[in-house]
Amino acid sequence: MATPARAPDLADIERESVESALDRLGHPRFHARQIFQWIYRRGVTDIAAMTDLSRELRDTLAKEFTLTTPALAHRETSADGTEKFLLRLEDGRHIESVFIPDTPSNTFCISTQVGCAMACAFCLTGKMGLVRNLTAAEIVGQVRVLAGALNMRAARFNIVLMGMGEPLHNYDETMKALRILADEHGFAMSPRRITLSTVGLLPALERLAQESFMPNLAISLHAPSDVQRGELVPINKKYGVGDIVDACKRFPLRKRSRITFEYVLLAGVNDSPQDARRLARLVAGVKAKINLIPLNAAPGIPFERPSDAAIDRFARIIAEHGVTVSVRKSRGRDIRAACGQLIVEGPKKSAAQQLAVMM
Ligand code: SAH
């Protein structure tokens, strides 16, 4: 016998779909606004708590819909104020989300997948492989949980899709999540406050260029040539450096906005003065800024962080070429919340995971 289809999740649909559902159920569409306010602004996790809706409508909604919220399984605070949240999903899988205070704004670093298929050589999440995509409800759910746990429902914050997963590898759910986050009756996020970070899956990048809700774009470049990048970011064998940079040149940008190129600095691998010059020349035709990320080392990751002198030298050469450059301050490294350090135990633990768990 087929299992009965699960009721749709109110936290997984855009407001227009809530309106159509209300229509179908014989209730006025405007209740969708109240429902959005309850879920996203007031943080309710139970339909019964939406007390300005009639009892009858609440009962109907509870029959027709579920309302899922990731469960806060563990919370850890770093000496620098960064907080890492371990969230448990409906199917028992776990993801991590990170709160980074004062950077200069408050930032939520959100996951888009359980694990990641990209297998970048320096990233711990990559060691997990891809377990599954997150739903839009689970992506937005991280923001709901963090905003509640941090007492920040009424506060302004930025969102970076730089947690676990490759957002463009989970395109539809990620875009739906962004539309829900943007809804004026929910979090009302401006696209300028959201940054999507990607290895540069070309077809998805071209699709993104057509979207009406356009987040800031960050490209994980990490090397100035295909030979070097191919060793670090396996998908480069399919979508090379030249093609990605060309797509960035065509990418529609808002006034005064720029594409960020992220560049993880690895000692002796991609941190030479020649690499810096090639990188600066490579992005010369793009409205770009370069964000250098000194490696966050971890057991099982076969690279080292360059010396501060090497990092400074690299940054200086780029600046001398007239390209804006910044060095990302590592946050939350003591609790393994920094870039590339998010990993949760899967059913099968890889050697790197076992080591990471022992840390
Ligand atoms: N999959 C997306 C977003 C997640 S990673 C992407 O690749 O862009 C966010 C950033 O952290 C990426 O630039 C990623 O390359 C970087 N990163 C991964 N592992 C790292 C590590 N060990 N040290 C420093 N940065 C790392």
Side-chain angles (χ1 to χ4, degrees):
M1 214 174 75
T3 44
R6 260 177 75 90
D9 184 353
L10 265 188
D12 198 49
I13 53 182
E14 291 167 63
R15 186 156 48 88
E16 293 70 49
S17 310
V18 180
E19 288 172 353
S20 324
L22 286 164
D23 230 6
R24 177 170 55 77
L25 299 167
H27 288 270
R29 300 166 73 93
F30 71 83
H31 289 311
R33 277 183 247 157
Q34 290 162 288
I35 294 170
F36 257 59
Q37 285 162 4
W38 278 116
I39 299 176
Y40 301 105
R41 294 204 183 160
R42 304 173 78 162
V44 306
T45 53
D46 182 4
I47 293 168
M50 301 181 180
T51 47
D52 62 357
L53 303 178
S54 71
R55 168 87 18 120
E56 188 218 332
L57 175 52
R58 277 181 274 159
D59 287 348
T60 309
L61 288 173
K63 259 186 237 121
E64 297 280 327
F65 292 98
T66 58
L67 172 54
T68 66
T69 309
L72 181 49
H74 189 64
R75 177 175 175 173
E76 222 175 326
T77 306
S78 154
D80 67 19
T82 299
E83 290 196 55
K84 186 167 77 170
F85 294 81
L86 179 69
L87 305 183
R88 192 178 54 253
L89 307 172
E90 291 281 298
D91 65 350
R93 303 279 185 196
H94 288 86
I95 49 170
E96 289 181 324
S97 319
V98 180
F99 169 61
I100 313 150
D102 327 311
T103 52
S105 337
N106 292 317
T107 301
F108 293 179
C109 178
I110 296 301
S111 298
T112 54
Q113 297 178 314
V114 183
C116 185
M118 298 299 121
C120 297
F122 45 79
C123 180
L124 267 191
T125 309
K127 305 275 173 220
M128 292 176 65
L130 177 63
V131 179
R132 70 167 173 84
N133 281 330
L134 295 184
T135 63
E138 290 166 336
I139 298 170
V140 181
Q142 298 166 66
V143 181
R144 290 167 55 216
V145 171
L146 265 60
L150 294 158
N151 251 322
M152 284 182 58
R153 272 203 203 93
R156 253 144 87 93
F157 50 81
N158 294 341
I159 293 177
V160 294
L161 301 180
M162 296 189 187
M164 303 169 77
E166 165 50 48
L168 293 189
H169 192 215
N170 182 18
Y171 191 91
D172 292 333
E173 293 301 309
T174 298
M175 291 305 139
K176 195 211 274 187
L178 295 190
R179 290 190 297 271
I180 293 174
L181 287 167
D183 193 288
E184 55 175 323
H185 296 286
F187 285 112
M189 292 288 303
S190 148
R192 291 178 181 274
R193 291 193 160 269
I194 303 181
T195 300
L196 184 153
S197 177
T198 174
V199 292
L201 304 180
L202 266 194
L205 203 55
E206 309 281 1
R207 246 180 108 187
L208 182 67
Q210 314 293 323
E211 293 283 344
S212 52
F213 184 85
M214 181 70 73
N216 303 313
L217 182 62
I219 301 279
S220 290
L221 196 61
H222 308 320
S225 71
D226 282 328
V227 177
Q228 285 163 295
R229 192 170 189 262
E231 293 290 318
L232 302 174
V233 182
I235 196 76
N236 193 74
K237 298 188 177 93
K238 204 158 168 195
Y239 308 119
V241 170
D243 290 337
I244 292 176
V245 171
D246 283 345
C248 288
K249 286 182 184 157
R250 294 191 300 271
F251 202 81
L253 288 177
R254 281 182 296 268
K255 264 195 206 130
R256 291 190 299 280
S257 119
R258 280 180 287 181
I259 293 178
T260 300
F261 288 97
E262 295 161 288
Y263 194 102
V264 173
L265 280 170
L266 310 167
V269 174
N270 65 356
D271 66 340
S272 73
Q274 194 203 353
D275 292 327
R277 286 190 290 273
R278 291 178 78 174
L279 175 61
R281 282 197 294 268
L282 181 67
V283 303
V286 189
K287 277 180 74 185
K289 50 185 173 188
I290 291 175
N291 190 213
L292 301 174
I293 318 176
L295 175 76
N296 294 310
I301 299 297
F303 298 102
E304 278 166 38
R305 182 190 188 90
S307 67
D308 288 349
I311 296 167
D312 283 352
R313 181 184 60 189
F314 198 93
R316 213 167 338 102
I317 294 171
I318 291 168
E320 280 162 11
H321 280 72
V323 180
T324 306
V325 57
S326 58
V327 180
R328 188 177 296 180
K329 217 173 121 196
S330 172
R331 301 289 298 261
R333 251 194 297 162
D334 53 343
I335 54 166
R336 272 199 297 115
C339 300
Q341 297 193 308
L342 303 183
I343 187 166
V344 290
E345 289 174 58
K348 285 183 289 183
K349 276 191 228 164
S350 68
Q353 267 178 286
Q354 309 240 21
L355 274 168
V357 168
M358 277 158 50
M359 253 180 88

